[in-house]
Amino acid sequence: MASNSNPRVEASLLIDSDPSPVVTVNPGGRSPFLVIGDHAGNVIPLSLGMMEIDSRDLCRHIAWDIGVAGLGLALAERLDAVFIRQTYSRLVIDCNRAPGSVDAMPAVSDGTIVPANAALTPEDRTARIDAIHVPYHRAIADELARRDREGQASILVALHSFTPAMSGGPARPWHAGILHDGGDPSFALALLTALRREADLVVGDNEPYRMDQVDYTLPLHAYPLRRLYAEIEIRQDLLADEQGQRRWASILERCLLAASATEEG
C-alpha cells in the first residue's frame, strides 16, 4: 500500500542508507481527502548522529507528532485516501514552517536544548531544506496537480497531535482541536461541528494552537486556490497505541464524511 517512489534530492545530508524523506501511502486513492503528516516521523539522518540529544527525546512530542503515522495509515485504509507523510524528525527540520524561519530548525524545543541546531551555517540549513523540506512539499504539490488533471476533488486534511501539557504548563482539556484561518475555512468549520456532535468529546476551535502565519503547509497548498482543508490536532495520550489510533480513525472517518456531505449539500 505504501510507496517510496518520490525522488530524493541528492544532498550530503542524506546517504544511501537513509530512508526517503517522503512516504506516500495508498498512491492513487480515489477519496477526495488528501491526508498529510508534516511531523509523522522521528528519524534523524545518519550524518547528524543523535544531534547531541538524549535518545529518549526522540520519543517525545518535541521530535514528532506521536500517533500520526498510525492514524494516517488507518484513515488511508478506511477512506481509500492518499496519505503523504514526512519521515524525519521536526528537530531536523519542521516541514510546517517556512524553510527560512528560525523555528524551522529549533535550537530549543519546549525547554529542551538541541545543541546540533545552535550554530547552523547557511550551508547546513540549505542542505536540510533541499534534502527534506523541498521533496516533501513537492510530493504534495505533485499529488494535487495530478488530481486536478484527472478531475479528482481534493480536501486537504493535515494531521497533528499535541502533548497533554507543555513543560510546566496546565493540563489541556481538549481531546481534539480543529485549526483554520485563511483561504476557504468552510470545511474545517463543518468538521468542527461534526466532531462536537460526538459524545464526550471536548473539541477546540483553534485550540490548543491558533492557526496563523506560523503554519506553512496548508497556507501554501490550500489557500491560493481556496482548496477545502482542515488541520486536525488530537491529544497524544489518545493516540499512544494502535487501539487509540484505530478509535480516532473511526471517529474521523465518520466526521470527515459528514463534513464533506455538508459541503456538497
Side-chain angles (χ1 to χ4, degrees), residues 13-30:
L13 179 73
L14 301 181
I15 61 177
D16 288 343
S17 53
D18 282 314
S20 170
V22 190
V23 174
T24 299
V25 175
N26 195 30
R30 300 312 300 170

Side-chain angles (χ1 to χ4, degrees), residues 83-183:
F83 175 38
I84 298 176
R85 52 155 293 188
Q86 208 278 107
T87 302
Y88 289 92
S89 172
R90 65 197 302 175
L91 297 177
V92 179
I93 186 165
D94 189 330
C95 285
N96 193 32
R97 297 292 183 267
S101 65
V102 173
D103 58 350
M105 303 167 211
V108 180
S109 182
D110 194 19
T112 297
I113 296 173
V114 186
N117 289 350
L120 294 173
T121 67
E123 292 76 17
D124 292 333
R125 298 181 71 87
T126 297
R128 296 188 192 188
I129 292 166
D130 289 348
I132 299 171
H133 199 282
V134 169
Y136 174 68
H137 286 286
R138 182 185 297 125
I140 297 171
D142 287 350
E143 173 62 17
L144 288 168
R146 178 194 71 79
R147 296 157 80 100
D148 289 346
R149 287 193 305 270
E150 297 178 5
Q152 181 179 357
S154 295
I155 302 173
L156 281 82
V157 177
L159 299 179
H160 293 265
S161 64
F162 63 94
T163 185
M166 298 293 280
S167 295
R172 290 163 158 174
W174 308 280
H175 300 101
I178 300 299
L179 279 53
H180 54 87
D181 183 38

